[in-house]
Amino acid sequence: MTEPASGLYGSAAQRKLQAASLAAADSVRDTPGAVFAARMAGTDDPDRLGWDRIAATLRDEGAITFRMIPVDACPDIEQRLADIGCEITWWDVFDSPRDTIGATCDDLLATARDDLVPLFPPASAQDAFHERVQAFMAGRGVAPYPAQVLSGEAGPAALAVLADPADGSIAATAFTYFPYNCHSPHHATAWAGLVAVREDMRGRGVGIRVNALVLGAAVKDLGAERVQEYARTTNLASCRMIERCGLRLRSDVRSGIAQPAGARSFTR
């Protein structure tokens, strides 16, 4: 995939990372240890990908994500990063198999709501729709993915957008896709996230509903064998939302984003 001229969103640094990720998408899909993380480069097996490559990515691009890292390997990764002037912020991993997720989300979505309606991109204005979605996410502290990823152009994906029927304004978003390649033990696992809820809609189960929509799509429409989400256990609201949708906290692995020491946090 060549470097895109549009579809990127965020600061100049974020756009640079997204462009590099999209440009490398085809090679990443065939590189052991690499992850197509959409917002930046990624790895789920740093030794297999190679630490020289990781160091070069951090030097040239300023960020790389580590996915599904065994907990007992985290201290070594932290030290290796510290040795090159970088640090990592870790997130906790929640996941479950497709049957658990499917049944849980079916139950959550069984009751209709008249205060929310699904919003789909119009055929004649898809670019504007995805830019609107990106702006909504960014406004709530969620770093958006490129439009090429949100739309499914870069690979199988599902985007859920709920709107307020009163005026058609976006009320909530969530997204799922497959980041892992055929060399990864997680190749059949989808990632879900980018959950953002409008401030006046919070505390009403809207986040749970939009999250359940993409989780259901991951297992039923995309065929995922498992689905994972990330959160910090200190973020009680996010953890409750994820667990309500049937995912369970993993104690054996963590995921995170590495950046040069002192860099601004990439996303919340």
Side-chain angles (χ1 to χ4, degrees), residues 98 101-102 106 109 120 156-160 176-178 190 212-225 227:
R98 59 178 300 147
I101 292 170
D106 281 348
L109 298 171
F120 302 102
L159 172 67
T176 185
Y177 82 119
F178 291 98
L213 284 170
V214 294
L215 291 173
V219 299
K220 294 181 179 180
D221 300 334
L222 304 183
E225 292 296 325
V227 187

Side-chain angles (χ1 to χ4, degrees), residues 156-213:
L159 172 67
V161 182
L162 294 177
D164 184 340
D167 58 9
S169 60
I170 296 177
T173 63
F175 177 73
T176 185
Y177 82 119
F178 291 98
Y180 304 103
N181 64 29
C182 62
H183 303 284
S184 171
H186 312 295
H187 66 275
T189 297
W191 175 90
L194 306 188
V195 178
V197 179
R198 203 171 72 195
E199 290 76 5
D200 63 319
M201 290 281 189
R202 293 174 183 171
R204 296 163 53 182
V206 177
I208 291 172
R209 192 169 188 87
V210 76
N211 197 45
L213 284 170

